[in-house]
Amino acid sequence: MAKEMIVVEGGTPLAGEVRVSGAKNSALKLIAASILGSGESVIHNVPLISDIVVMSKVLETLGARVKREDHTLVIDTADIDTWETPYELVSKMRASISVLGPLVARFGRARVAMPGGCNLGARKIDMHMVGMEALGVHFETDHGFIEASTPNGLHGAYVALDFPSVGATENTMMCAVTAEGETVIENAAREPEIEDLADMLNAMGARVSGAGSPTIVVEGVPASSLHACEHTTVGDRIEAGTFLVGGAMTGGPVTVRGIEPGFLRMALMKLHAMGCSIDFGDDYITVSRDGALQAIDIQTLPHPGFPTDLQAQFMLLAAVAQGNSVITENVFENRFMFADEIGRMGARVTIEDHHAIVEGVSSLQGTDVKATDLRCGAALVLAGVFAEGTTRVHKVHHIDRGYEDYVGKLSSLGARLHRELDEDIDW
Ligand code: UD1
């Protein structure tokens, strides 16, 4: 695909209403979960983003048939006849490894390429393996692949995760669905997407309880009793948070619809502490601001703590707030690439280990910047909306991984921006 950039003319306030898509981080795992029940599963509210295209290819490589009708995916897993996911797909998207758990649960085996390095730090998968090993999975590495087998079948177990890893919780939970007896996952991740996945698993005939709490209990059922199902993906809290930051930055009011406010409690508290007014109902949140934006201290933590996926967006807010803010990244190492890019626009950010010290400035200047990951990319486009002059955000394929029609949605809020071919420089 041709390389594109997003060109933003700064200086227009954002106001109005936008509907968020289904959660990327949920939909990817729901697609993987469809492997568990032979037949045609239907998943609604799936975002139109490139990561979903990659996950659909992962399923097709296994032998499933995937049809998309608007925001609905119909996945027929009856004819899955291979258990291998190649490096070509895993290297494009790490979340491909979430097929490990369901493949092992349904077929007793899987062969998945090992994810390589990634720009968010080490990002190991040791906890995924520890969790599944406790259930009886035997792992071997072979020429860059992880080979999983179950020589003695799967059995329920007590699994205590060292850290509430989202991916490890999901893989262990999906694997445990067909293990004989009871599995208890302690120190489980509590992200709303885990609850969404558990709801789909239960709709397929699994018996999962406690999702959303630190202790998940799975009563194993025979693989043959699982069936296809119909499920609707929850709204994307990170997309919602990104547009709310846009509203907070320029004054708003900006309303996001299709999101449960409880998913964003910590982020909303921070917006409030920065001087914003928040209004919300069952499925919407509105942010507005009259006074000055105030500095804030933020620490990223597993849910319900402040999400690492909103760290770059809030760094942007801190960069244009009054006073000094400290942002501490506890979930991923090396997740401060945004600081270098926003620095090119005039922000003052100093990184010390896993802390960013942000000295607020009153204006930013448009220039050429590049998206280093999808959240950095989304935040740079917002920075362009605030900045004086023109900002060109390169490497927008990162944004396309996780934001459906980002340009269209921001335009509907009043931003002046468009996509263009990016041919001059090899960004
Ligand atoms: C998911 C999300 C990502 C989000 C992250 C944290 C998807 C597709 N991605 O990523 O957007 O930023 O949760 O909310 O859902 N770790 C290990 N060993 C493991 C597993 C993880 O050391 O076996 C470490 C990671 O390197 C990282 C931390 O644990 O430092 C958190 O990772 P994890 O919660 O697993 O994130 P992901 O599932 O990869």
Side-chain angles (χ1 to χ4, degrees):
M1 217 171 73
K3 280 192 201 165
E4 289 189 327
M5 60 178 163
I6 294 177
V7 182
V8 195
E9 299 300 332
T12 44
L14 299 178
E17 205 171 291
V18 73
R19 174 161 284 277
V20 297
S21 302
K24 166 180 94 73
N25 289 351
S26 204
L28 290 172
K29 320 311 166 55
L30 302 175
I31 294 171
S34 72
I35 293 171
L36 280 163
S38 176
E40 216 173 67
S41 279
V42 179
I43 308 175
H44 301 290
N45 202 27
V46 176
L48 302 179
I49 54 174
S50 66
D51 269 10
I52 295 293
V53 174
V54 177
M55 198 54 157
S56 301
K57 280 200 184 125
V58 170
L59 273 272
E60 281 169 349
T61 307
L62 299 170
R65 278 193 301 274
V66 184
K67 275 187 299 181
R68 185 171 69 75
E69 291 157 14
D70 194 18
H71 289 84
T72 295
L73 282 189
V74 181
I75 308 172
D76 188 346
T77 61
D79 295 330
I80 289 184
D81 55 1
T82 50
W83 303 274
E84 181 168 317
T85 303
Y87 185 58
E88 181 204 332
L89 293 172
V90 178
S91 63
K92 273 198 186 121
M93 190 186 69
R94 205 187 122 83
S96 310
I97 60 168
S98 54
V99 297
L100 255 180
L103 280 176
V104 171
R106 179 165 160 202
F107 300 107
R109 55 193 285 195
R111 192 164 189 270
V112 176
M114 280 195 278
C118 145
N119 57 5
L120 294 186
R123 280 192 107 166
K124 298 186 296 251
I125 60 161
D126 53 324
M127 280 187 269
H128 296 235
M129 292 165 84
V130 167
M132 289 185 273
E133 266 167 354
L135 305 173
V137 181
H138 176 72
F139 286 106
E140 273 183 42
T141 51
D142 173 45
H143 295 275
F145 278 81
I146 301 163
E147 287 215 6
S149 59
T150 49
N152 301 309
L154 290 170
H155 50 77
Y158 177 82
V159 179
L161 296 175
D162 283 348
F163 178 89
S165 151
V166 171
T169 301
E170 291 165 340
N171 251 331
T172 308
M173 183 165 87
M174 289 192 276
C175 187
V177 155
T178 64
E180 203 179 320
E182 183 182 271
T183 296
V184 178
I185 308 171
E186 209 67 85
N187 200 22
R190 287 184 270 170
E191 271 67 4
E193 294 78 27
I194 306 259
E195 268 186 89
D196 199 25
L197 175 59
D199 287 346
M200 170 147 164
L201 294 175
N202 287 335
M204 299 177 92
R207 294 176 62 199
V208 181
S209 56
S213 83
T215 308
I216 295 177
V217 179
V218 185
E219 298 286 344
V221 299
S224 57
S225 70
L226 293 172
H227 48 80
C229 74
E230 188 164 352
H231 182 84
T232 300
T233 314
V234 289
D236 196 315
R237 64 196 163 98
I238 305 301
E239 189 196 0
T242 303
F243 288 119
L244 291 174
V245 163
M249 183 180 67
T250 65
V254 164
T255 298
V256 289
R257 286 205 178 270
I259 187 71
E260 196 184 308
F263 291 177
L264 277 165
R265 193 166 291 131
M266 187 63 81
L268 297 180
M269 279 167 58
K270 293 295 178 186
L271 286 176
H272 185 251
M274 293 182 89
C276 299
S277 304
I278 310 287
D279 178 34
F280 58 88
D282 282 350
D283 85 327
Y284 77 89
I285 307 166
T286 301
V287 66
S288 58
R289 177 176 60 81
D290 291 326
L293 205 52
Q294 302 299 329
I296 194 80
D297 290 343
I298 287 174
Q299 296 204 37
T300 68
L301 281 170
H303 193 79
F306 188 91
T308 175
D309 287 348
L310 284 176
Q311 183 249 98
Q313 299 88 319
F314 273 73
M315 185 182 288
L316 167 62
L317 275 187
V320 297
Q322 276 184 0
N324 294 340
S325 302
V326 179
I327 299 182
T328 302
E329 174 59 58
N330 293 312
V331 179
F332 288 114
E333 42 182 309
N334 305 344
R335 205 181 193 177
F336 281 139
M337 290 90 72
F338 176 70
D340 289 338
E341 296 304 311
I342 192 77
R344 304 195 64 253
M345 298 178 76
R348 294 198 192 133
V349 185
T350 314
I351 305 296
E352 282 178 19
D353 190 22
H354 64 130
H355 306 287
I357 295 99
V358 187
E359 190 188 328
V361 294
S362 56
S363 65
L364 296 174
Q365 294 96 49
T367 184
D368 288 281
V369 286
K370 65 173 188 290
T372 53
D373 68 53
L374 80 160
R375 306 305 170 192
C376 165
L380 285 171
V381 174
L382 289 184
V385 170
F386 182 83
E388 293 162 2
T390 307
T391 300
R392 285 168 296 275
V393 181
H394 301 272
K395 290 193 155 213
V396 301
H397 60 275
H398 284 294
I399 300 175
D400 297 336
R401 291 187 55 182
Y403 288 85
E404 176 178 334
D405 191 19
Y406 195 45
V407 164
K409 289 185 184 183
L410 281 173
S411 296
S412 76
L413 293 175
R416 286 184 299 162
L417 76 176
H418 63 273
R419 296 175 73 112
E420 250 180 46
L421 273 182
D422 195 356
E423 358 188 56
D424 291 346
I425 308 172
D426 187 16
W427 289 95

